[in-house]
């Protein structure tokens, strides 16, 4: 999809999260600089795409999920639910859906890849500080948020820069993690509640662990320097990849 880099606001189009609406003719996309856009015309051969910026001023929104055609955006500060109250196709009420996770000024602690499970609960990854000890419980963790946004819990920790997250139909949880100061190669993780995935600089209650849960596989930087999100292939159009896990760079 051709991005509207030449736009009236000179907005920097660095896409973060995206999701499709139910009819698959439109998608919503967030940008790292703080915007949310809707692109229409996806179902019409891609010849004439219509882009509309519907929200701005969000804090590094790198995750987006559409639930019942309502847009939820994950930023470094909170999950925001966007409302169009007067029907002008622009968000005029930014509802704080959940802001349980704490946030510092450190550049590295992105919140990434908002997802939901079959029961409607939300999940996202919260990165750790770069080569510095955690200051808040959410540094380097997988966070689960209740369907109604009323509560959250930390399911697992030990992550460095977990760029991607996937909840499969059987409700298994997978993530990627980025190689860096503590990690010789990128990881694809299968996450179980209470698991620890190796980053000693993530948050701990008590002493640092003596070991860690191994990844599902290592990805050497020569294969993929920066793994992003994961996808579960449910379409026969992908041939032999149907019902398989795909890691996207």
């Amino acid at each position: 999809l051709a991005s509207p880099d030449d736009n009236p606001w000179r907005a920097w189009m660095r896409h973060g999260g995206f999701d499709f609406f139910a009819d698959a003719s439109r998608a919503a996309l967030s940008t790292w600089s703080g915007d949310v856009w809707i692109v229409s015309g996806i179902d019409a051969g891609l010849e004439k795409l219509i882009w509309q910026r519907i929200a701005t001023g969000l804090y590094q929104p790198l995750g987006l999920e559409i639930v019942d055609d309502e847009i939820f955006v994950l930023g470094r500060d909170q999950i925001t639910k966007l409302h169009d109250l007067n029907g002008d196709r622009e968000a005029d009420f930014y509802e704080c859906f959940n802001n349980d996770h704490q946030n510092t000024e450190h550049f590295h602690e992105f919140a990434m890849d908002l997802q939901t499970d079959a029961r409607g609960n939300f999940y996202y990854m919260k990165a750790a500080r770069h080569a510095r000890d955690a200051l808040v419980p959410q540094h380097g963790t997988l966070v689960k948020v209740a369907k109604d946004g009323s509560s959250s819990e930390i399911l697992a920790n030990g992550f460095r820069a977990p760029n991607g997250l996937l909840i499969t139909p059987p409700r298994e949880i997978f993530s990627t993690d980025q190689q860096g100061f503590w990690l010789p190669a990128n990881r694809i993780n299968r996450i179980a509640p209470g698991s620890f995935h190796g980053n000693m600089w993530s948050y701990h209650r008590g002493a640092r662990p003596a070991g860690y849960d191994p990844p599902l596989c290592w990805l050497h930087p020569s294969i993929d320097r920066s793994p992003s999100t994961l996808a579960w292939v449910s379409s026969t159009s992908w041939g032999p990849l149907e019902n398989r896990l795909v890691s996207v760079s």
Side-chain angles (χ1 to χ4, degrees):
L1 304 182
S3 183
D5 297 312
D6 183 14
N7 60 76
W9 304 276
R10 298 183 180 180
W12 197 356
M13 301 299 291
R14 298 175 293 174
H15 298 299
F18 80 96
D19 198 6
F20 294 98
F21 289 91
D23 64 2
S25 69
R26 299 179 299 147
L29 302 93
S30 62
T31 71
W32 191 10
S33 299
D35 295 341
V36 177
W37 296 71
I38 289 179
V39 54
S40 306
I42 297 173
D43 60 338
L46 308 183
E47 298 299 326
K48 185 179 180 182
L49 298 175
I50 299 173
W51 289 83
Q52 180 176 1
R53 189 173 75 164
I54 66 165
T56 191
L58 299 169
Y59 186 10
Q60 294 184 358
L62 295 177
L64 187 149
E65 184 81 355
I66 296 176
V67 179
D68 297 328
D69 275 356
E70 295 183 307
I71 300 173
F72 295 79
V73 188
L74 172 68
R76 278 182 55 156
D77 54 345
Q78 65 182 28
I79 300 175
T80 303
K81 184 178 181 181
L82 300 180
H83 297 268
D84 176 10
L85 300 179
N86 59 7
D88 65 352
R89 300 179 64 190
E90 291 186 359
D92 38 42
F93 173 43
Y94 298 13
E95 175 190 353
C96 174
F97 182 73
N98 180 278
N99 65 350
D100 287 349
H101 72 250
Q102 300 177 60
N103 185 49
T104 76
E105 81 290 347
H106 191 73
F107 79 99
H108 197 263
E109 57 169 277
F110 311 104
M112 292 181 277
D113 206 359
L114 188 63
Q115 301 289 336
T116 54
D117 65 17
R119 297 179 178 176
N121 300 301
F122 292 83
Y123 300 78
Y124 63 90
M125 309 300 297
K126 179 71 171 170
R129 302 206 308 163
H130 183 77
R132 295 185 178 183
D133 280 323
L135 295 179
V136 301
Q138 291 81 16
H139 278 156
T141 61
L142 167 65
V143 181
K144 176 183 178 181
V145 178
K147 179 180 180 178
D148 62 358
S150 61
S151 62
S152 68
E153 59 179 313
I154 295 171
L155 291 186
N157 73 329
F159 305 102
R160 177 185 176 270
N163 301 324
L165 175 65
L166 172 68
I167 316 295
T168 69
R171 294 173 59 203
E172 291 184 301
I173 304 175
F174 296 89
S175 78
T176 61
D177 205 355
Q178 177 80 47
Q179 61 84 23
F181 61 90
W182 70 279
L183 183 64
N186 303 305
R187 293 172 54 123
I188 296 180
N189 304 300
R190 183 180 183 273
I191 303 174
S195 55
F196 172 69
H197 296 267
N199 182 12
M200 296 298 176
W201 287 267
S202 66
Y203 184 80
H204 307 286
R205 291 181 174 89
R208 298 183 193 271
Y212 61 86
D213 292 281
L216 184 69
C217 70
W218 296 96
L219 286 176
H220 192 275
S222 65
I223 301 298
D224 188 353
R225 292 181 61 192
S226 184
S228 180
T229 195
L230 299 150
W232 181 262
V233 179
S234 58
S235 169
T236 58
S237 301
W238 289 58
L241 295 181
E242 184 182 5
N243 294 323
R244 290 181 179 270
L245 185 69
V246 174
S247 176
V248 180
S249 179

